[in-house]
Amino acid sequence: MTPEPISGEHASVVPLHSVPGETERLAPHDREAEQAVVGSLMIAPATIADVSDAMDPADHYVPAHETVHRAILALHAQGQPVDPITLGHYLEQTGDLRRAGGRSYLHTMIQAVPSTANAAYYAEIVHALARRRQSIEVGTRIVQAGMSAEATEDDLREALALGAATVPAAWPEPIPLDRQPKLPPFPVHALPGWVSDFVVALAEETQTPVDLAGALALSVLATAAGGRAVVQVRGRWREPTNLFVVALGPANRKSAVFAAMTAPLYEAENTLVEGSNLTIVEAEVTARMAREAADKAAAQAAKAEGPERDNLVAEAIGLAQTAESLTVPPRPRLLADDATPETVTTLLAEQGGRLAVMSAEGGIFDIIAGRYSGVPNMEVFLKGHAGDRLRVDRRTRQEFIEAPALTMGLAVQPSVLEDIGKNRGFDGRGLLARFLYCLPESLVGYRKIDPDPVPPVVGAMYERNVFALTLKLADWTDPLVVQVGPEADAALKAYGERLEPQLRTKGGRLGHIGKWAGKLVGAAARIAGLLHLAEHIDGGTNAPISATTMGAAIELADYFAAHALTVFDLMGADATLARARSLLSVLEGNGWESVSRRDLFAKLSRSEFPTIAELEPAAAVLEEHGYLRSETPPRTGKRGRPPAPRYLIHPSIREPKA
């Protein structure tokens, strides 16, 4: 068993309800689960979101655990690292170190963690036991008030009121269907220091959401490394390091952010072009001379006769083969913008499979949909994201790309979503499932008039490092293989296990966007590879990806998941939610207290609910939001069919609307 704090330094570590004897022993609690929760938060800050969803710091039974838990949340909110050293220093500054059990107890809690992957499960245990203690306390007060002859009416009312506040009401307030959840802010602390410093400074200078620059930063790193580095996860599982990112920026200053973030990529491209000019000229001259020599030899062979002709023909053939084998290297290209799918394919083939489409507008979606050809063409984008072989056989050209790595970084207006949502081919072919989405909240109306500019040293560091990373990998033909370390792999496995139940089509949080969410673990691995490369600009890329880096990548993946739910809703991808809204309107218009499934189906539009099968998922959504409850009435006799299930309706729906 994990050692408990002892007298002296740990004297303050006592139960929340410190009462002697049998009462203390019977109070439901699990000290080891509490230690595992707090220890997990110190080891893996990426678990903070999951733990916060499952419990509150006040759920701890031991005051020391609550104190440390709150301190961790405070440090995390400030973007500060969380470990026993920084935590001990923080608690000492706040005067809570003794209450927390001292510095050595922080390490004791870390040692008590069996696996950080189960942090949310430990938190659920702690929360459930806290509810039990609360129920016991409420019940005890009510019993004591009822049994005591000295209890006044006020004492009884207070005890009953406490019970009413603790036990959920029969019909809690339903959760509105049309209320968009508050989206989480971009976890800028998850980026490497030199990247996050520039992202924060640029957001301040332009007075734009940090999400915009943060999402584009990942696209920039993917442009620098995509096609030149891969992440070796385990076995034969490899992930390329290219990404598709859409920042749905508000209509203010996104072009300025886009230009600043991509500037070092254009500088690197110009440097590559300048460095290749001499090589290209030499190759062009050599190829031209070889063709001229072959043509001259062929002409001489055509005029010759007898044995001499055979020798000249053989020489002409040899020269022609040599000329054919000489190729002129293309001008280096890293970036494309307003390009057709055919042009993107050609550029990918010329550039050895590496290219980025970066744009501050959404016109590329129109092009993919067939603006010029009249026919949608997304093959290069689908295979360019996945890294699948791409072979093009046309009457006029043949192109083959062994492992394409196409990156897309877009900053478009939210209004583009409506048009994208209308093109079902995008979703049907899986194109939308390949993008990472962020939907920042506009700062218009809250902007500073005279913001601080980006500090020169911060801007110079960002530009230098992006430039260096791009040129460092530019000449690689075989990809740089970035290994996932054992602890990072364990974190990625745990993330996959946490996500899997959320992918269920019935009841899963991400079930209705399963095509997108099914790629999220792979996206986390790609992001981890990019963060690793950015952390080792000056060397050390051969080291494996650490658990800390993978935790940061998972935190970013969770951010994109929360935003994707809202984005796909805006695109109309969740048909079930739309049907649930229609169903709610019918319930509001009929004033039922309860209704059978058959009677309810009879009132619905056949265009939206062609069969009763479409009713059940929509009703499940309403049930999850607290508008409905399913009930099967008891049998009234032994024969005949069992009673049909009925839906009980929330009282607020039955009330007439003003």
Side-chain angles (χ1 to χ4, degrees):
M1 178 179 292
T2 306
E4 299 299 330
I6 57 177
S7 60
E9 183 182 11
H10 305 311
S12 64
V13 185
V14 295
L16 287 173
H17 308 290
S18 184
V19 292
E22 194 71 10
T23 304
E24 196 277 331
R25 187 181 70 80
L26 291 176
H29 63 282
D30 189 327
R31 295 175 185 271
E32 291 185 339
E34 292 186 15
Q35 289 177 326
V37 167
V38 180
S40 296
L41 297 180
M42 284 190 274
I43 298 172
T47 62
I48 287 177
D50 292 336
V51 169
S52 297
D53 288 342
M55 68 170 290
D56 185 89
D59 290 341
H60 288 290
Y61 184 76
V62 178
H65 301 159
E66 179 181 355
T67 300
V68 178
H69 193 147
R70 293 189 185 280
I72 290 172
L73 296 182
L75 282 174
H76 186 71
Q78 297 170 11
Q80 301 298 319
V82 176
D83 56 53
I85 296 175
T86 59
L87 198 55
H89 180 69
Y90 176 83
L91 290 166
E92 191 171 41
Q93 286 183 322
T94 60
D96 292 325
L97 184 58
R98 180 173 177 79
R99 177 176 171 78
R103 294 182 186 274
S104 62
Y105 191 54
L106 300 180
H107 292 278
T108 296
M109 287 187 283
I110 286 179
Q111 295 168 3
V113 180
S115 171
T116 59
N118 296 327
Y121 177 69
Y122 306 143
E124 290 173 359
I125 294 174
V126 174
H127 176 70
L129 292 173
R131 292 284 292 171
R132 286 180 176 272
R133 291 195 304 274
Q134 192 176 27
S135 299
I136 291 171
E137 183 177 354
V138 170
T140 301
R141 290 191 182 187
I142 294 174
V143 170
Q144 288 175 345
M147 296 293 292
S148 174
E150 290 79 17
T152 65
E153 288 294 327
D154 289 340
D155 293 334
L156 292 172
R157 279 194 293 269
E158 182 182 352
L160 291 172
L162 179 61
T166 304
V167 180
W171 279 102
E173 190 68 22
I175 302 170
L177 289 175
D178 56 353
R179 184 172 67 197
Q180 294 292 349
K182 184 171 178 59
L183 296 176
F186 188 87
V188 69
H189 58 271
L191 299 173
W194 62 270
V195 182
S196 64
D197 289 347
F198 184 71
V199 165
V200 171
L202 182 61
E204 165 67 20
E205 178 180 288
T206 57
Q207 288 297 286
T208 53
V210 72
D211 312 53
L212 186 58
L216 289 175
L218 293 175
S219 294
V220 169
L221 294 176
T223 301
R228 298 297 184 266
V230 297
V231 178
Q232 176 65 46
V233 183
R234 71 185 79 98
R236 296 185 180 182
W237 180 12
R238 284 188 173 187
E239 288 287 345
T241 50
N242 55 303
L243 294 174
F244 283 13
V245 181
V246 173
L248 296 154
N252 56 90
R253 302 175 183 171
K254 65 182 177 67
S255 295
V257 176
F258 193 90
M261 295 302 300
T262 58
L265 292 176
Y266 285 99
E267 182 183 356
E269 185 179 79
N270 290 335
T271 299
L272 291 173
V273 170
E274 292 172 0
S276 67
N277 281 339
L278 180 59
T279 301
I280 292 173
V281 170
E282 290 178 350
E284 288 175 341
V285 171
T286 301
R288 184 170 64 250
M289 292 175 63
R291 287 194 299 271
E292 291 174 352
D295 291 342
K296 184 177 180 180
Q300 290 177 343
K303 297 177 182 178
E305 295 180 356
E308 183 182 7
R309 177 185 175 86
D310 294 338
N311 293 333
L312 290 175
V313 168
E315 181 182 356
I317 291 173
L319 290 172
Q321 290 174 336
T322 299
E324 186 67 24
S325 67
L326 296 175
T327 59
V328 178
R331 290 169 59 87
R333 284 285 299 272
L334 295 175
L335 301 146
D337 186 352
D338 188 13
T340 65
E342 292 76 18
T343 301
V344 170
T345 304
T346 298
L347 288 173
L348 270 173
E350 291 178 350
Q351 304 300 320
R354 176 199 201 185
L355 187 69
V357 176
M358 304 285 282
S359 176
E361 303 298 337
I364 186 65
F365 290 113
D366 292 335
I367 296 174
I368 297 173
R371 175 200 292 172
Y372 301 120
S373 64
V375 179
N377 184 355
M378 58 189 76
E379 195 73 13
V380 65
F381 300 97
L382 298 176
K383 293 187 174 180
H385 176 273
D388 296 335
R389 286 190 188 91
L390 179 61
R391 187 185 297 273
V392 178
D393 292 304
R394 298 281 190 268
R395 191 176 303 175
T396 56
R397 62 190 176 98
Q398 289 184 332
E399 293 165 336
F400 176 71
I401 309 170
E402 178 66 30
L406 179 64
T407 288
M408 295 186 73
L410 309 175
V412 304
Q413 302 294 348
S415 58
V416 174
L417 292 176
E418 183 178 351
D419 294 332
I420 296 175
K422 292 176 182 176
N423 192 323
R424 305 320 303 167
F426 281 174
D427 187 41
R429 293 292 307 279
L431 180 63
L432 298 182
R434 285 160 168 77
F435 284 94
L436 299 175
Y437 300 93
C438 78
L439 187 61
E441 185 176 352
S442 174
L443 298 182
V444 174
Y446 301 92
R447 296 176 295 186
K448 296 180 183 177
I449 303 304
D450 186 23
D452 297 329
V454 175
V457 65
V458 172
M461 178 67 73
Y462 172 78
E463 293 173 359
R464 181 191 79 83
N465 285 347
V466 172
F467 182 86
L469 179 61
T470 306
L471 294 189
K472 176 181 179 180
L473 298 175
D475 295 331
W476 283 68
T477 51
D478 293 333
L480 169 65
V481 179
V482 181
Q483 300 285 342
V484 173
E487 293 182 351
D489 186 36
L492 191 64
K493 287 179 181 177
Y495 185 53
E497 291 171 357
R498 172 160 66 87
L499 278 181
E500 191 62 26
Q502 300 181 40
L503 303 180
R504 294 169 185 163
T505 54
K506 188 172 183 179
R509 169 175 170 261
L510 302 171
H512 63 286
I513 56 170
K515 291 180 184 177
W516 183 90
K519 303 180 186 301
L520 195 53
V521 174
R526 295 187 184 201
I527 294 172
L530 294 174
L531 299 182
H532 177 81
L533 292 172
E535 290 164 355
H536 297 85
I537 290 289
D538 297 321
T541 52
N542 291 331
I545 295 173
S546 68
T548 301
T549 299
M550 185 61 74
I554 290 171
E555 189 171 358
L556 285 162
D558 280 337
Y559 162 87
F560 286 117
H563 283 243
L565 283 169
T566 297
V567 169
F568 276 96
D569 186 23
L570 292 174
M571 288 190 290
D574 190 359
T576 301
L577 184 59
R579 292 193 183 104
R581 292 191 178 105
S582 299
L583 182 56
L584 182 59
S585 297
V586 172
L587 294 174
E588 290 174 337
N590 284 273
W592 294 306
E593 182 175 342
S594 69
V595 63
S596 69
R597 185 172 59 177
R598 181 177 297 277
D599 290 341
L600 177 57
F601 180 66
K603 294 285 187 179
L604 299 174
S605 166
R606 289 298 167 269
S607 62
E608 193 168 13
F609 295 88
T611 67
I612 205 165
E614 277 78 15
L615 167 61
E616 293 177 356
V621 170
L622 292 185
E623 190 166 359
E624 290 171 1
H625 283 71
Y627 290 98
L628 294 180
R629 288 180 183 172
S630 297
E631 180 187 61
T632 302
R635 281 180 177 268
T636 57
K638 295 183 178 180
R639 296 186 178 183
R641 291 184 178 182
R646 298 184 67 82
Y647 294 119
L648 303 182
I649 316 299
H650 194 287
S652 67
I653 299 179
R654 305 196 302 267
E655 296 171 358
K657 302 296 185 291

